[in-house]
Amino acid sequence: MATPGDSVRVDTWIWSVRLLKTRSQANDACRAGHVRVNGDRVKPAHLLRASDEVRIRQAGRERIVIVTRLQRNRVGAPVAAECYVDHSPPVERQPAPLVPTRDRGAGRPTKRDRRALDRLRDAGRPDPL
């Protein structure tokens, strides 16, 4: 843990509080411009201080966190959650696709039943080009 008034590299902090799985992923995200500190794109060696706002774009989603505690070493999830305040927008979840079901004991489906099941399965798929 860093002492008060100290600073930590942004890639090390992102890795240590488990926002990304590896330090090299955090380093690559910084180099690609997916990490912003207080609105500015930063390099991996940028020094992070408490109360900085960190925005990380990953997997089509933006994480917005405010640094509350600096951390140099990777810690467990409960401790990592205390190191930042998460202001990220909620994740939009896709509704579960319809799954065709048959009554138990109804026997083997007929050709007509199989075609109906195939139509139901194909309804959720995009049209092939």
Side-chain angles (χ1 to χ4, degrees), residues 80-109:
E82 297 171 0
C83 294
Y84 61 87
V85 177
D86 196 354
H87 291 292
S88 304
V91 178
E92 293 182 20
R93 301 201 184 269
Q94 298 294 331
L98 294 176
V99 178
T101 57
R102 289 184 46 81
D103 293 333
R104 202 168 167 86
R108 186 173 176 180

Side-chain angles (χ1 to χ4, degrees), residues 74 98 113 120:
R74 192 159 171 97
L98 294 176
D113 293 338
L120 185 59

